[in-house]
Amino acid sequence: MADLIHLRIVMGGDQFRAGGLQIQTAPLPHFVDAAEAAGCIVALRKGESLAMRIGRLVGSAVIVAFLAAPFLRAQVEPPQPPPTVGKSRGEPPPPTIQDGWHRILPGMAEVPKNPAPAPRHDIGGTWDPGPTQGIQAGVRPDDGIPEDQPPYTPLGLEKLNENKPSAGFRSVLPGDTNDPIDKGDPQGMPREDLYELRVTQIVQFPEKVFVLYTNGRVWRVIWTDGRDFPKDMEPRWFGYSIGRWVNDTTLVVETRGVDERTWADRAGRPHSADMVVKEWFHRVNQNRLELSVQIDDSKMYTKPWMALYKLPFDLRSPDYDVREMIFAPSDFGEYNRLLANPVSDSGK
């Protein structure tokens, strides 16, 4: 057999190395970081001219890019919800805002007209969605309109009717709800993104990303070190989250293994243990982040559906102090005694 010289393509750049040679070419189309991580090995027969080797190399790269393009487009951009379902709306920041130390800080005034571009592979910061509609049920409001409802399976409808939320079109009196968070259970995923989503702090390390939520003062880990999901996942309130960069400014996250005792959102929409939650964290520029959330659960829904679509967040200064927002059983007991129980009793 003819001897082979192995040439490794250094993806994402325009330098190629073959043995001791370093070849500089015109920039190739930018692929994706999955390709960057995997690289590409091309075997070249001895005797080919340098031009032939470069041609074979570039041709192979173009083929890879062509074959991968549809998959990449599907990953980089979140699927749009149906035309009848609106975009998750954020509100512009007020002229001034107040942090947890009661400091009056510039709000609208601190947003530059021409913000700097988004830094590469960086979604870290303190992000404020403002008082948005995303804190209830995302872009799928529980309003009784059929077009706004997710595509339930028969089992999904059965489970939905077992859940009795205290808000929305299907709401019951406060004393009659069976919302698991009223018992002190964690919200879990994706509800943490869909109910009482307030100022969110994101801290990055090379191997993982921490997301710190205001509501409940809880945090979760998104692993970015290339690991796969465990083969035998124990149920977790917030599941197992794995993220990967699909371009310079978008981190796509998949979460699996969420405990099925949680609700998907405040409307009481159900999920099974097989649910897959996909999130798109897209940094638009230096000062703006967008979050989209998709739920995929074939036991409860006939197809995946968007629960949140490009909800905008504004960057706050590093010294911005985030207030507490914690479920305390003693406070909740007083709420029941003074308000919920009297209202529920009066309705019977």
Side-chain angles (χ1 to χ4, degrees), residues 11-13 30 32-33 36 117-124 204 245 247-250 283 286:
M11 306 297 286
H30 183 68
V32 287
D33 293 330
E36 288 181 9
R120 185 176 186 270
H121 290 185
D122 185 359
I123 57 171
Q204 285 190 213
W245 293 97
N247 61 21
D248 286 349
T249 59
T250 306
R283 191 160 186 173
Q286 176 68 35

Side-chain angles (χ1 to χ4, degrees), residues 296-346:
D296 187 357
D297 186 346
S298 59
K299 290 185 178 179
M300 300 295 167
Y301 307 98
T302 58
K303 59 183 179 180
W305 57 280
M306 297 301 295
L308 202 63
Y309 185 69
K310 295 188 176 182
L311 179 69
F313 293 73
D314 292 306
L315 185 67
R316 295 283 167 250
S317 61
D319 63 345
Y320 182 88
D321 183 75
V322 183
R323 294 171 172 168
E324 280 190 345
M325 190 175 181
I326 298 176
F327 175 91
S330 57
D331 291 341
F332 193 64
E334 280 297 285
Y335 164 79
N336 284 334
R337 184 178 70 83
L338 296 174
L339 182 62
N341 292 338
V343 169
S344 297
D345 292 341
S346 65

Side-chain angles (χ1 to χ4, degrees), residues 255-316:
T255 299
R256 302 171 183 258
V258 178
D259 194 309
E260 58 187 334
R261 289 176 291 178
T262 63
W263 289 0
D265 59 19
R266 194 185 181 191
R269 288 158 183 157
H271 72 84
S272 72
D274 297 335
M275 175 184 63
V276 177
V277 179
K278 182 175 284 189
E279 298 163 284
W280 285 260
F281 291 87
H282 172 58
R283 191 160 186 173
V284 180
N285 54 47
Q286 176 68 35
N287 301 307
R288 176 59 62 93
L289 181 74
E290 291 178 344
L291 174 62
S292 301
V293 179
Q294 182 189 65
I295 296 175
D296 187 357
D297 186 346
S298 59
K299 290 185 178 179
M300 300 295 167
Y301 307 98
T302 58
K303 59 183 179 180
W305 57 280
M306 297 301 295
L308 202 63
Y309 185 69
K310 295 188 176 182
L311 179 69
F313 293 73
D314 292 306
L315 185 67
R316 295 283 167 250

